[in-house]
Amino acid sequence: MAKYRIVTPAGASFTTAGGGYALESEALAGMDAEIVEAPTDTAGFIAAARTADAIYGKGIAITKEIIDALENCKVISLGSVGVDSVDVKAATARGIPVTNVPDTFIEEVADHAMMLLLAGFRRLLEQDRMVREGRWKEGRPALLKIPRLMGMTLGFISFGRVARAVAKRAAPFGLRMIAYDPFVEEMTISDHGVLPATLNEVMSQSDFVSMHAPARPECTHMLREEHFRLMKPSSIFVNVGRGPTVHEESLIKALQEGWIAHAALDVLEVEPPSHNNPLLRMDNVTLTAHVASASARFDEARKRRVGHELALVLSGKWPMSCVNPAVLQDTALRRWQPIGMGRGPNS
């Protein structure tokens, strides 16, 4: 039996089916560690993971029931940016670090956000249909109703890594940018050429509202009817973050009643959507299937990062990306980074 036992729910998450754990195991080479698959039902997973040294979370929710049953777990590692699949509060109460991959797919998601913004603004899907349906002469008149992009306002809700990367891409288009994020210092927002603003200011002043709030309980239905009513009738709503941060019925009502002009969405409140979701039949909606982070490097990058985090903790060191860093100072793990990482105690 290996010295370190890492338990993970059977099967792959995200896009790659099968293939084993060779990429995750690269960083674990020489450590006498093994990754073991466990049943995906709660009882079966607990039975397999009770004495595990680490949990590689994917495919199922790592609930409080599971976490409270762990007797030897030193870390719960995820191959995603979002951590809503883990009860972080329960892990924190048990002193277990939870890691994610917050900086692995930033560029891809930012690219996708800009693509949705521009496609919605220039009515790409509508223009494509006109050409295919032999309505060539209708294309130019339709765009004559649209103002020039330069000088318009892009508003961010949450100003983390992705939003900052979008701001970098949007700046050359001449967009004025504002952002609401109560957890980011105003000077940090200003340093990116973006003006700090309140949530109501973002909703009422923006021609484009780009939603980036995380999938945290306090952010569920963060945007509701009263917020969409503040938006300009000509505005476009973009969401490459998480669907549950938006009260979808309110968004649908805003689109149906003309409070806003368009929505460009990579995420929905329920995924995949029901066949009777009104968004699927709206001409003023652009949809993609929660694919913003996808690229040729997606699976390899996230799997190697998970392996790296597991290797760090199992070798007695702080992980790189801990979403509950307060627990680190109460563990036997030691800080190893030669420079401040911008996360964790004493950073």
Side-chain angles (χ1 to χ4, degrees):
M1 181 180 292
K3 181 179 179 180
Y4 298 112
R5 189 162 163 271
I6 302 161
V7 173
T8 188
S13 59
F14 297 101
T15 55
T16 302
Y21 299 95
L23 295 173
E24 291 94 335
S25 297
E26 288 178 358
L28 298 164
M31 291 186 62
D32 193 21
E34 63 176 348
I35 299 175
V36 179
E37 290 195 335
T40 56
D41 65 287
T42 297
F45 187 80
I46 287 175
R50 188 178 300 276
T51 60
D53 296 284
I55 301 298
Y56 175 9
K58 58 177 177 60
I60 67 169
I62 307 300
T63 62
K64 184 179 188 298
E65 182 181 359
I66 291 174
I67 291 169
D68 286 346
L70 301 175
E71 299 174 355
N72 191 44
C73 184
K74 301 171 181 64
V75 65
I76 299 171
S77 290
L78 300 172
S80 60
V81 177
V83 295
D84 48 308
S85 62
V86 174
D87 189 328
V88 177
K89 183 178 180 180
T92 301
R94 292 291 310 282
I96 302 173
V98 178
T99 70
N100 66 339
V101 288
D103 48 9
T104 303
F105 320 119
I106 303 305
E107 305 303 328
E108 288 88 341
V109 179
D111 290 343
H112 203 83
M114 281 303 298
M115 180 272 293
L116 288 175
L117 186 155
L118 293 170
F121 178 65
R122 296 293 293 181
R123 306 296 192 267
L124 177 63
L125 297 182
E126 179 184 352
Q127 290 288 317
D128 178 80
R129 283 195 298 271
M130 287 179 180
V131 174
R132 294 175 186 275
E133 295 170 3
R135 299 156 54 203
W136 183 274
K137 292 184 178 180
E138 296 179 33
R140 182 172 291 274
L143 291 182
L144 290 176
K145 305 172 186 176
I146 295 174
R148 173 188 255 181
L149 182 63
M150 182 179 290
M152 300 184 82
T153 298
L154 167 59
F156 298 100
I157 299 175
S158 187
F159 199 66
R161 291 178 176 87
V162 172
R164 295 172 198 182
V166 174
K168 184 186 299 183
R169 287 157 172 74
F173 286 90
L175 289 167
R176 169 182 178 263
M177 293 180 283
I178 59 178
Y180 166 73
D181 194 324
F183 302 104
V184 175
E185 294 179 353
E186 289 195 354
M187 289 301 294
T188 299
I189 296 175
S190 299
D191 286 345
H192 287 81
V194 180
L195 296 173
T198 66
L199 178 57
N200 283 357
E201 286 172 338
V202 168
M203 301 304 290
S204 62
Q205 295 181 21
S206 300
D207 299 290
F208 308 94
V209 172
S210 192
M211 181 61 161
H212 299 277
R216 299 285 298 153
E218 60 270 24
C219 293
T220 299
H221 290 175
M222 179 181 176
L223 293 187
R224 303 176 299 278
E225 180 172 331
E226 61 264 33
H227 300 107
F228 290 112
R229 284 187 179 275
L230 292 173
M231 293 178 68
K232 300 177 182 180
S234 59
S235 63
I236 294 175
F237 178 73
V238 178
N239 192 358
V240 294
R242 288 303 180 101
T245 61
V246 177
H247 186 254
E248 199 166 276
E249 288 185 13
S250 297
L251 174 59
I252 290 169
K253 187 176 181 180
L255 290 161
Q256 289 174 333
E257 299 189 8
W259 308 345
I260 66 175
H262 196 93
L265 312 170
D266 184 53
V267 292
L268 298 171
E269 192 164 355
V270 176
E271 297 174 356
S274 166
H275 70 279
N276 59 1
N277 187 322
L279 292 171
L280 302 183
R281 297 182 296 278
M282 291 183 172
D283 290 334
N284 58 342
V285 175
T286 303
L287 296 168
T288 55
H290 203 149
V291 297
S293 61
S295 71
R297 60 185 290 279
F298 177 84
D299 279 299
E300 291 188 6
R302 71 173 181 86
K303 289 179 178 180
R304 286 193 169 101
R305 180 59 174 270
V306 168
H308 183 57
E309 296 286 38
L310 290 168
L312 283 171
V313 173
L314 294 179
S315 62
K317 300 176 181 179
W318 278 14
M320 290 284 290
S321 300
C322 184
V323 302
N324 55 345
V327 304
L328 295 176
Q329 58 194 354
D330 296 320
T331 68
L333 302 174
R334 65 185 184 277
R335 180 170 182 172
W336 59 274
Q337 297 95 328
I339 59 172
M341 302 302 294
R343 55 176 79 91
N346 305 317
S347 60

